[in-house]
Amino acid sequence: MGTWAIIDQIEPHATTDSSGSDDEVVIFAPSLRALSPGDPIVMATLPILDWNAELFQAIDNVTSVGNRCYAAVLMIDPFTLWEDLADLLKEKGFAGVVNFPPASLVEGVQSAVDAGNTLEIDRMKWFHDTGLGIIHTGSSRMEMTDVSNRLADLLDGMIYFPPNALVRPVSKWMDLELISDAGFFPASVWSLTSAGSPVIGAV
């Protein structure tokens, strides 16, 4: 299954060639640069960053990316110019988008039927319709089960991001671990945890 990671810089990490190799999937989250080294990731869920504006600025200065690079997008931002973002991502060669940070952590949404999650899922479907791949990040088994049912075979993968992962310090490269018992879901599931092996459970 290769390796997956969240990064705050494109170079030199996103170097996968056009052969379609799955050896390295990277999730580009440039807003993490605005946080101080050692800050907990929970800071990324607070309204102290213009997450998508930082993304626009960063990718506008990128020449191209590897074909397994996804952009971390705040899907519930009401001010983002979505068509412009999708066009720019495709122009730069991004494989798709990831809902990171997820609405369930930004807004404290615990049920996938709440407005934040519905808006997020609808936005991800929209990105898929534009031709971009999608990876969903969720903070509970209930949410991830609901999303995997609603997005079915549209997903390129899923990331389990439990609330206890929010205490992990920000770094330029954060590895994700494959959850070996993810057969319950239609797509591979990866996790960023604060410590120990990840276990999916309802929050």
Side-chain angles (χ1 to χ4, degrees):
M1 294 298 296
T3 61
W4 285 33
I6 298 172
I7 63 174
D8 70 359
Q9 297 276 357
I10 288 291
E11 301 293 346
H13 305 302
T15 57
T16 306
D17 61 28
S18 59
S19 64
S21 172
D22 290 340
D23 288 345
E24 181 179 84
V25 170
V26 292
I27 297 162
F28 181 44
S31 283
L32 295 178
R33 300 179 206 161
L35 301 178
S36 300
D39 276 352
I41 297 177
V42 68
M43 299 292 287
T45 69
L46 304 178
I48 59 174
L49 299 172
D50 192 337
W51 189 272
N52 292 345
E54 293 278 349
L55 177 63
F56 262 109
Q57 181 177 351
I59 60 179
D60 193 45
N61 296 321
V62 169
T63 302
S64 64
V65 299
N67 69 328
R68 299 293 289 167
C69 186
Y70 290 75
V73 178
L74 180 59
M75 300 288 175
I76 57 174
D77 183 349
F79 304 111
T80 297
L81 301 175
W82 298 109
E83 292 81 2
D84 291 350
L85 179 57
D87 288 344
L88 187 56
L89 290 172
K90 288 186 285 186
E91 175 188 335
K92 300 296 184 176
F94 280 83
V97 296
V98 182
N99 63 315
F100 181 79
S104 54
L105 293 178
V106 172
E107 293 194 333
V109 177
Q110 294 300 315
S111 170
V113 300
D114 284 312
N117 296 76
T118 299
L119 177 62
E120 187 172 66
I121 292 170
D122 288 346
R123 181 59 59 193
M124 294 188 75
K125 286 181 179 177
W126 179 86
F127 272 113
H128 182 271
D129 289 344
T130 70
L132 289 163
I134 55 174
I135 294 174
H136 185 269
T137 304
S139 61
S140 73
R141 185 185 180 99
M142 177 179 66
E143 176 188 353
M144 294 178 70
T145 299
D146 181 78
V147 169
S148 66
N149 289 335
R150 293 170 68 178
L151 297 180
D153 58 354
L154 303 183
L155 293 167
D156 291 346
M158 301 185 78
I159 298 172
Y160 175 52
F161 200 95
N164 67 355
L166 293 173
V167 301
R168 178 166 172 167
V170 169
S171 62
K172 293 182 178 297
W173 179 287
M174 295 182 288
D175 287 315
L176 300 175
E177 299 174 317
L178 179 66
I179 300 176
S180 60
D181 62 351
F184 180 83
F185 299 100
S188 61
V189 181
W190 298 74
S191 182
L192 176 69
T193 59
S194 56
S197 299
V199 177
I200 294 181
V203 175

